[in-house]
Amino acid sequence: MAQMESDESAVTRVTVRVPQDLLNEYDETLEARGANRSEAIRGHMRRVSNESTPNGERTPPTDDELLAAGYRALIEVSDRGGIPLDQAKSAVAQKTGLGKEFVGPRIIDPLRERGYLTRCGDPYRRPWVVVR
C-alpha cells in the first residue's frame, strides 16, 4: 500500500490495488447502504484497530481520548463484566468529568456501536451493560 503525506493537514492518502470486479461489487454494496467508499474504509480501519489484543482483551479506542477514558473507567468498575447502566454512567462521569446526563450519548452509545459494550437486562426497569 502506498502512502502519500499531505503537507496541508494530518491526513494521509492510502492507495491500494484491487481487482476491478471486487471494487465494483464493493461500491454497489456501499451505494445500496447509502455510504461512500472513503468513510467505509475509515470505519473498517477503526474497527480493526479496536479489535481484541492477542490476550483477548480489547484495546481502548485510539481515535477519541474521551471514549478511551470512558472505556477504561467501565473496565475498572465492571472487571469486563455486567454492570447496571446507572452505575456505569456514574463511574464514567466521575472519571471523565462529563455530566452524567451526557455520558449516554457521548460515551455509552458510541462504545456500544463500536462493539465495546452490549446492553442487557430489562431495558426499562433495570438496564445493564456488559463491558467486553
Side-chain angles (χ1 to χ4, degrees), residues 79-99:
D79 196 29
R80 295 187 191 271
I83 182 172
L85 180 60
D86 193 54
Q87 185 180 346
K89 287 181 178 181
S90 293
V92 171
Q94 184 179 19
K95 290 286 186 176
T96 63
L98 278 178

Side-chain angles (χ1 to χ4, degrees), residues 26 37-51:
Y26 186 70
R37 186 188 309 159
S38 293
E39 190 54 43
I41 292 170
R42 283 190 290 272
H44 175 77
M45 293 172 83
R46 283 186 201 101
R47 283 189 303 276
V48 169
S49 67
N50 288 327
E51 286 179 352

Side-chain angles (χ1 to χ4, degrees), residues 105-120:
R106 180 61 179 90
I107 305 292
I108 302 292
D109 294 343
L111 287 174
R112 188 175 50 80
E113 290 168 4
R114 293 180 180 203
Y116 287 90
L117 308 173
T118 55
R119 286 194 158 198
C120 62

Side-chain angles (χ1 to χ4, degrees), residues 64-105:
D64 186 324
E65 187 52 42
L66 197 56
L67 278 183
Y71 182 61
R72 286 190 293 270
L74 289 169
I75 290 170
E76 187 177 307
V77 297
S78 72
D79 196 29
R80 295 187 191 271
I83 182 172
L85 180 60
D86 193 54
Q87 185 180 346
K89 287 181 178 181
S90 293
V92 171
Q94 184 179 19
K95 290 286 186 176
T96 63
L98 278 178
K100 189 175 173 183
E101 67 275 14
F102 300 112
V103 170

